Every structure is written in C-alpha cells, then in structure tokens.
C-alpha cells in the first residue's frame, strides 16, 4: 500500500544506503518537449542524504545532459530507489526541486560526503542538490530479484584516458544542449567557450565555430573519410586482386575459344 511522508525518515535512509543504483526523472515544461529518465550507478558513493529534507548526488559525465537542462529550466525532479536484491521489496520516491552546482562551488560538507575516488574522476561534472517536499513509498511486490555482481569501469576508464582537459572538451560538445535544444551544463561554466547548437542524428551538439564554418568542416571531414577509404591499402589490394582475377579469367576464356 502506498504511503507518503513529509520528510526522509530512518527507514528510508536505511533502504537508500543499501542500494547500488537509483533513477532520476525530470521533464521540460513544453508539452512538445521530452521527459527524461536516467539510471545512476555508484549509489553508495555518489548519493548523500544531507538532512531530512535535502539530498544530493555526484553527477558523472555522460553522452547527454537532459537532467541539468530540465533543472535549469524548472527544477522539477523525482528520485526513485527500489530494492531489487534479496530482502523485503520496497520503492521510495523523493519528489523535490533540484539545482545544479558546479564542483568548484559545492559546499565542502556535501562534497566530502561523496566517495573520494569519484570526486577525483575527470568525468565528475556537477552536484545535483534536491530540496525534498514529498517522500512516497510503495510495495514493489512484483519486482524481480537480482544479484549484484560488480560495477562497470568503462566510463571511468574512458574519461581517465581523456584526462580533465579532454573531459571538459567532451562536455562542450556533448553537454551544452538537451535533445530539445535547451541550454545545459557547459553554459554554466564560466571558462567554457560559447557554442552554437547543431542538430545531428537527433541530438543537439555544441560547436565552437559558426554554422558556415561548421558546414565547411563537415564537408572536409566527409571528403577526408572518402579519400581515406579510397586509398586504404586494404582497398587497393582488394582492387588489384579483383582486377588480376578478372584478367586471368579473360585469358582463360580466350584460350578456351
């Protein structure tokens, strides 16, 4: 049976502390724009219950930045935790208003509540702080039971390879706009270059150049790719072998005639 509460109590804290992941839901205001749901890992190292009405989580860089864009526009957010491991089934939702805080501007008490290793990652891009105005629970009786295996390390390794400067450059390209072209994370960063949105394959990417310059670069990249394919040694070898076989087949045909 569902229940609602005016604050986060001890039972909620205990369930949250056990989980390995959680889900974040936000939405743009326009009926023509999108709703977003994002899974978040490392819950035990990146999620903090600050007090009975405040929570925060450390946000790692990803290929999109929908949550930040929505929070900048309207602040609405819901966090969902559910127990899908052994033990009593349970779902906890935290409804509230969220704000985006850059790592350099985050209060030390909140920042230090996160895992030190996550704080050191080049992919660490922001802290999401949420003022909770409603806590609700439901049974979760139909949820399956999973067994936790381990954390994936692909994202960590990806940004370790890029380093802090490379991660910042990646965010300029990938995290400047939402899929609905709302301004997102890098528009908050004073040192980030100003960019223009360019729509590619259903996503708005941030480009530091003007649109005519972008079109020129895109054409140059396409030409370079075509030239590379044309003069790829494997392509040339294949063409030579094909031509040789064709000539030999012709010679054999002539001999038979």
């Amino acid at each position: 049976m569902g229940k609602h509460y005016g604050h986060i109590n001890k039972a909620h804290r205990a369930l949250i502390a056990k989980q390995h992941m959680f889900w974040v839901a936000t939405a743009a205001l326009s009926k023509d724009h999108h709703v977003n749901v994002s899974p978040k890992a490392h819950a035990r190292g990146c999620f903090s219950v600050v007090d009975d009405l405040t929570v925060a989580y450390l946000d790692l860089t990803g290929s999109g930045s929908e949550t930040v864009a929505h929070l900048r526009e309207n602040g609405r957010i819901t966090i969902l935790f559910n127990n899908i491991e052994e033990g009593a089934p349970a779902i906890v939702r935290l409804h509230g208003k969220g704000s985006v805080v850059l790592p350099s501007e985050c209060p030390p008490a909140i920042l230090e509540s996160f895992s030190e290793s996550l704080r050191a990652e080049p992919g660490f891009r922001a802290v999401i702080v949420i003022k909770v105005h409603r806590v609700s629970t439901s049974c979760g009786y139909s949820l399956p039971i999973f067994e936790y295996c381990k954390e994936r390390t692909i994202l960590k390794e990806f940004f370790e390879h890029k380093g802090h400067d490379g991660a910042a450059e990646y965010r300029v390209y990938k995290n400047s706009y939402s899929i609905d072209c709302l301004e997102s994370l890098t528009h908050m960063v004073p040192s980030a270059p100003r960019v223009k949105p360019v729509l590619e394959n259903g996503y708005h990417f941030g480009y530091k150049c003007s649109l005519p310059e972008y079109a020129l670069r895109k054409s140059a990249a396409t030409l370079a790719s075509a030239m590379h394919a044309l003069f790829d040694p494997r392509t040339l070898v294949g063409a030579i072998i094909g031509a040789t076989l064709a000539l030999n087949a012709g010679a054999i045909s002539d001999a038979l005639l």
Side-chain angles (χ1 to χ4, degrees):
M1 179 177 176
K3 295 181 179 180
H4 76 272
Y5 306 81
H7 66 280
I8 302 167
N9 63 30
K10 289 183 178 179
H12 304 144
R13 285 175 181 256
L15 183 136
I16 289 169
K18 285 173 53 182
Q19 305 312 308
H20 291 284
M21 65 181 297
F22 58 98
W23 284 259
V24 178
T26 58
L29 288 177
S30 170
K31 65 181 178 61
D32 297 319
H33 287 177
H34 292 81
V35 174
N36 185 69
V37 180
S38 292
K40 301 292 181 181
H42 309 290
R44 297 184 181 187
C46 81
F47 194 90
S48 174
V49 179
V50 180
D51 58 45
D52 290 350
L53 291 172
T54 310
V55 297
Y57 71 87
L58 181 151
D59 193 36
L60 295 171
T61 304
S63 58
S65 193
E66 298 300 304
T67 301
V68 173
H70 294 163
L71 292 182
R72 294 186 75 223
E73 185 196 45
N74 60 70
R76 300 177 301 172
I77 188 169
T78 299
I79 305 290
L80 182 144
F81 285 90
N82 57 317
N83 186 36
I84 51 176
E85 297 183 51
E86 288 292 345
I91 297 172
V92 173
R93 292 180 178 87
L94 308 175
H95 308 260
K97 286 283 187 177
S99 57
V100 185
V101 182
L102 296 177
S104 60
E105 299 171 0
C106 187
I110 293 179
L111 198 60
E112 291 167 8
S113 68
F114 304 129
S115 158
E116 186 176 355
S117 61
L118 289 175
R119 282 185 277 140
E121 289 192 17
F124 174 22
R125 64 182 175 184
V127 174
I128 308 300
V129 180
I130 301 152
K131 293 296 182 182
V132 177
H133 59 248
R134 176 188 171 98
V135 180
S136 62
T137 60
S138 50
C139 64
Y141 287 170
S142 66
L143 294 177
I145 296 174
F146 291 91
E147 183 177 352
Y148 173 77
C149 180
K150 62 181 180 179
E151 300 285 357
R152 297 182 193 273
T153 60
I154 301 169
L155 187 72
K156 179 177 184 291
E157 292 162 0
F158 179 80
F159 284 108
E160 282 180 346
H161 177 72
K162 283 188 172 296
H164 288 279
D165 290 343
E169 188 72 17
Y170 178 93
R171 286 190 286 270
V172 169
Y173 177 56
K174 295 275 195 174
N175 295 171
S176 287
Y177 297 94
S178 75
I179 57 176
D180 297 308
C181 207
L182 299 175
E183 290 186 355
S184 196
L185 181 72
T186 53
H187 290 273
M188 299 177 59
V189 181
S191 60
R194 298 304 90 188
V195 294
K196 300 281 188 181
V198 174
L199 182 63
E200 284 185 357
N201 301 318
Y203 293 88
H204 287 92
F205 297 114
Y207 278 87
K208 292 181 280 186
C209 57
S210 64
L211 293 186
E213 184 184 349
Y214 161 75
L216 184 62
R217 288 187 183 184
K218 189 73 174 176
S219 298
T222 302
L223 179 61
S225 178
M227 295 294 286
H228 180 269
L230 180 61
F231 292 105
D232 187 323
R234 291 168 297 181
T235 305
L236 289 174
V237 169
I240 292 168
I241 292 173
T244 302
L245 291 174
L247 288 171
N248 288 340
I252 294 170
S253 177
D254 290 341
L256 291 174
L257 292 172

